[in-house]
Amino acid sequence: MIAPTRIVALTGAGISADSGVSTFRDRDGVWSKYDWREVATAEGFAANPALVHAFYNARRAGVAAARPNAAHEALARLEAQFSNRLTLVTQNVDDLHERAGSRRVIHMHGELQKARCTACLSVHPWPHDLAVETPCPACGRDRVLRPDVVWFGEFPMFMDEIAAAISQADLFVAIGTSGSVYPAAGFVAEASAQGIPTIELNLEPSENAFAFANARYGRASEIVPLWVDEILGKAR
Ligand code: APR
């Protein structure tokens, strides 16, 4: 394989699994404990905002107690070498990529550590708990703040930027994602259609494994550092 010069990397919950952060669809994953309709939709939030805040407060606290693992650190090393020739897109709302040293992370499903006001649309860094009566720091209203994450049925963020990065890439890699949620699960097809080499690094074949030209299976904290070392070796 020739040395890639522009890489798009897509990560999912599997990259944070080795940090002790639950994935969604594995056995005893998040969606085996919570009904996504109640805690990850605008309708669920309207019906019971206190339940949704409790769900995200627990996840925010869980992530704060976790530490980045070798896979997050390997992607930070890759960025240090590739700079803006690596586009790191994550479906994850945790900040483990940033805490591992990645500076440019596209959070297409938003971020746990941010709150958004549904009244004035301001967005605020939010590392602590959110409650129904928490007032918006900008407009002062209460009962208007929500986690700045993308819920089912809402539009993912930065789609134009992601499409542009894929169109200029010469390698697309997906790491730790089940390939079951679109549009992220469709990025590999976009890359393939443009003749871009693709590879998935996952614990087991994802739902769209068929769409990848290459694949390696194992725990992200083991296989991602090895893959990054290979890429950096080629890039030297
Ligand atoms: N190393 C690598 N991969 C792993 C590991 C691990 N240690 N543990 C689990 N995996 C893999 C699983 O095999 C699975 O393919 O990670 C993937 C996790 O899949 P999901 O739980 O579906 O998570 P993800 O693909 O990120 O979900 C996408 O769905 O619920 C929404 O918004 C949520 O962003 C999320 C989106």
Side-chain angles (χ1 to χ4, degrees), residues 75-178:
L75 290 182
R77 274 191 297 122
L78 186 63
E79 181 190 271
Q81 174 88 31
F82 269 62
S83 180
N84 62 356
R85 293 182 298 114
L86 168 69
T87 299
L88 175 55
V89 182
T90 188
Q91 299 171 87
N92 301 339
V93 293
D94 66 50
D95 62 348
L96 294 175
H97 282 301
E98 289 86 348
R99 284 164 54 196
S102 291
R103 287 184 173 39
R104 301 167 57 250
V105 184
I106 297 177
H107 282 273
M108 64 180 289
H109 289 167
E111 298 178 67
L112 262 184
Q113 314 284 337
K114 286 183 181 168
R116 180 175 0 129
C117 179
T118 56
C120 70
L121 305 186
S122 58
V123 175
H124 307 275
W126 210 274
H128 26 259
D129 282 359
L130 253 180
V132 174
E133 58 279 355
T134 307
C136 167
C139 70
R141 297 181 182 88
D142 65 3
R143 309 186 68 81
V144 290
L145 288 179
R146 61 170 273 182
D148 190 28
V149 301
V150 177
W151 284 329
F152 290 98
E154 295 184 330
F155 288 102
M157 304 176 181
F158 311 112
M159 290 303 292
D160 292 344
E161 188 178 346
I162 295 166
I166 291 173
S167 70
Q168 292 156 14
D170 53 20
L171 181 61
F172 175 80
V173 56
I175 301 171
T177 180
S178 63

Side-chain angles (χ1 to χ4, degrees), residues 34-41 43-49 51-52 55:
Y34 293 89
D35 179 344
W36 60 268
R37 285 167 289 255
E38 290 180 356
V39 295
T41 62
E43 296 76 14
F45 184 60
N48 188 343
L51 173 68
V52 174
F55 172 68

Side-chain angles (χ1 to χ4, degrees), residues 12-14 18 24-26 31 91 109 177-178 181 202-203 219-220:
D18 292 341
F24 293 96
R25 295 173 182 81
D26 289 322
W31 299 143
Q91 299 171 87
H109 289 167
T177 180
S178 63
V181 174
N202 209 49
L203 187 64
R219 305 195 71 83

